[in-house]
Amino acid sequence: MEKLSRNFGFFTVFTTVVGMVIGSGIFVRASSIFQLTGAPGIALALWAVAGLVSLAAGLTIAELGAAIPETGALISWIEKVFGKKMAYIYGWTQVVLYLPATMAALGIVFGSQVSLFFGLNPDIYSIIIGIGTIIFLGILNSLSSKLGGHLQIVSTIGKLLPIFAIIICGFLYGAEHQSYNLTPFINLDPVPGKSLFVSLGAAMTAIIFAYDGWIGCGTLAGEVKNPGKTLPKAISIGLVLIGIVYIAINIAFLMVMPAGALAQTQTPANDVARILFGNLGEKIVGIAILISIFGTINGYMLTSIRVPYAMAIEGMLPYSEVLGKVDKKTGTPFNSSIFFVILSILFCFTGKFDLLADMTMFVIWIFYIMAFLAVIILRKKDPQLKREYLVPLYPITPIVAIIGGIYVIVATFLNMPYYSLGAIVLSILGLPMYIYLERKKSKNLILEVN
């Protein structure tokens, strides 16, 4: 099989982190987080806690990416520590559930925002626009990895400018009007009928989705120049910046509108912008949201199409000989791109953003925890492994990531048990596929020997 070229430097990886993470979450899920927490203080605290957990996770993962810089990332890392079967189940879950479902969720949100911006009915057009966007970006990233990387840089810069405008003007507005809506800190019964543990867990899952995307840079490890230095630097700087931006923009929201009002609107950023800048400002922010989500979809497309490719070059998908090809003209995994786009489109027909988002967070964090454990295990099992980067404050940093992940998994399961079980079943279906493909390999080997 052909190898992918090392085209990506620090700025492309950094903007991929920022571009993939800052997307729909901060705009679409801000209201639900205020609803679930029932108090601005605890909402802000959860944004900070989720940021610390994500930073701990990113710094921990970076050690694996630097030590084992292979395209496919977590698949290779899990295989090295937990064996081929578990690595395959993870890869299978990424290919058939996590990545296409996340892409579909983002596509649905983008289609909904475009529909609202142009005064169309989102119930009719959100899925159509979402599917069209996924197809367009699939083609774009299939034509050139550099083109997709350049688009990521432009979209990341484009989304940050209006976000900073809201933050700066929101703080100035709050100081001028003395509107500091930051209390109460906690509400012990934010959602009637649900325990505080489950309510805050649901909010934590929503926030974790807003921080999700940093793992995608690991899939680029095989195409990054000097991954030992570039990956940890890009991930850590990117996540710290994102955490600061998320907390700051939530405070800016609360400087302009009280938490109760923010909890009742589905467009908090637009409503805040209308107060700050008038109707024109609301339109500008609406465009910024579209750019933000579009850049996030592009970031996921840029990284996700390489996952089925990485599995295919190992012969671990049906029709691997097709999916594992690199197009000679473009140097990209073209067939893998088509396969991934088709799966994403199928998930789009559910039409449910919240369901897809929460389900993907539940299942993927099971494997993230395995990756965090892999760092600890490899330190003991393979101390001679060349490590150009070591996770700081070891073992505290991996432990923080593990505890945070366990909370997300348990709380999400309690909040939506049936869908969580469905995600587990779909993941476990990878085991019979693994057995089938291994037997097929053995038969082919016997035929070649004879």
Side-chain angles (χ1 to χ4, degrees):
M1 297 287 182
E2 300 93 333
K3 289 187 177 180
L4 299 170
S5 302
R6 292 189 179 274
N7 293 322
F8 301 132
F10 166 79
F11 200 55
T12 296
V13 180
F14 167 75
T15 52
T16 299
V17 174
V18 177
M20 289 181 67
V21 173
I22 300 181
S24 63
I26 187 62
F27 302 112
V28 177
R29 312 211 81 176
S31 296
S32 63
I33 291 162
F34 284 118
Q35 291 174 3
L36 289 165
T37 58
I42 198 65
L44 292 174
L46 282 181
W47 279 103
V49 169
L52 288 174
V53 170
S54 298
L55 179 59
L59 291 174
T60 303
I61 285 291
E63 180 169 322
L64 292 175
I68 313 170
E70 298 178 14
T71 298
L74 202 47
I75 298 175
S76 302
W77 307 337
I78 290 179
E79 180 178 346
K80 185 173 181 65
V81 178
F82 298 101
K84 284 187 175 182
K85 286 183 181 179
M86 189 55 67
Y88 183 81
I89 291 174
Y90 166 70
W92 168 268
T93 303
Q94 272 212 312
V95 169
V96 304
L97 176 57
Y98 168 66
L99 290 173
T102 301
M103 180 67 71
L106 293 170
I108 291 168
V109 168
F110 183 74
S112 178
Q113 292 294 325
V114 170
S115 300
L116 292 171
F117 186 83
F118 289 103
L120 304 174
N121 187 343
D123 294 335
I124 298 174
Y125 292 99
S126 61
I127 294 177
I128 297 172
I129 296 171
I131 290 174
T133 303
I134 290 170
I135 292 173
F136 170 75
L137 289 176
I139 294 172
L140 180 71
N141 282 277
S142 297
L143 294 176
S144 170
S145 61
K146 288 185 176 181
L147 189 60
H150 291 157
L151 176 59
Q152 198 59 37
I153 293 172
V154 172
S155 64
T156 299
I157 295 172
K159 77 170 67 176
L160 288 177
L161 291 176
I163 288 176
F164 288 142
I166 290 178
I167 292 172
I168 295 170
C169 294
F171 274 75
L172 293 175
Y173 180 94
E176 181 181 351
H177 294 81
Q178 297 294 305
S179 52
Y180 306 112
N181 306 303
L182 305 177
T183 56
F185 182 79
I186 190 170
N187 182 348
L188 295 178
D189 188 27
V191 182
K194 285 187 178 182
S195 68
L196 183 64
F197 180 89
V198 173
S199 297
L200 296 187
M204 183 74 168
T205 302
I207 296 172
I208 284 291
F209 178 83
Y211 277 103
D212 193 49
W214 44 265
I215 190 67
C217 291
T219 66
L220 300 176
E223 300 168 79
V224 174
K225 304 169 187 176
N226 195 5
K229 293 183 179 180
T230 301
L231 280 176
K233 184 179 179 181
I235 291 173
S236 58
I237 294 176
L239 286 174
V240 168
L241 173 63
I242 290 162
I244 293 172
V245 168
Y246 279 175
I247 294 171
I249 197 169
N250 273 277
I251 293 175
F253 286 165
L254 291 166
M255 293 287 193
V256 179
M257 294 176 64
L262 289 166
Q264 298 303 314
T265 176
Q266 295 301 310
T267 54
N270 300 62
D271 293 354
V272 168
R274 189 187 312 117
I275 295 172
L276 292 174
F277 311 117
N279 292 332
L280 178 60
E282 182 186 3
K283 290 294 183 182
I284 293 173
V285 168
I287 294 172
I289 293 172
L290 296 181
I291 293 172
S292 178
I293 302 174
F294 186 82
T296 303
I297 298 173
N298 179 67
Y300 268 95
M301 186 67 71
L302 176 67
T303 58
S304 298
I305 59 178
R306 285 155 174 80
V307 177
Y309 162 80
M311 293 187 70
I313 61 176
E314 299 295 331
M316 298 312 293
L317 284 178
Y319 305 104
S320 290
E321 63 280 4
V322 176
L323 296 176
K325 285 186 177 181
V326 175
D327 188 87
K328 293 181 179 179
K329 292 184 179 179
T330 63
T332 62
F334 186 81
N335 294 337
S336 175
S337 305
I338 296 174
F339 174 71
F340 178 73
V341 166
I342 292 172
L343 285 180
S344 300
I345 290 172
L346 292 176
F347 275 103
C348 279
F349 288 110
T350 65
K352 297 183 181 297
F353 167 77
D354 289 331
L355 168 64
L356 292 172
D358 291 344
M359 187 170 62
T360 56
M361 288 301 94
F362 168 79
V363 73
I364 202 62
W365 270 83
I366 295 174
F367 295 101
Y368 286 173
I369 290 173
M370 293 180 66
F372 308 147
L373 290 171
V375 172
I376 298 173
I377 294 170
L378 276 177
R379 288 281 189 104
K380 296 181 178 180
K381 181 181 176 182
D382 194 357
Q384 303 304 317
L385 180 66
K386 184 180 178 182
R387 296 173 173 86
E388 298 181 32
Y389 160 83
L390 296 174
V391 57
L393 299 178
Y394 178 89
I396 296 174
T397 302
I399 290 173
V400 169
I402 291 169
I403 293 173
I406 291 173
Y407 180 61
V408 167
I409 291 169
V410 172
T412 304
F413 183 84
L414 293 175
N415 192 51
M416 42 180 290
Y418 297 114
Y419 289 112
S420 299
L421 285 173
I424 292 173
V425 169
L426 187 56
S427 298
I428 293 175
L429 287 176
L431 184 58
M433 178 60 72
Y434 172 83
I435 295 171
Y436 164 75
L437 291 171
E438 284 294 301
R439 287 178 178 175
K440 183 179 178 182
K441 280 184 179 180
S442 299
K443 288 181 181 180
N444 290 339
L445 184 60
I446 291 172
L447 289 175
E448 289 177 7
V449 172
N450 293 333

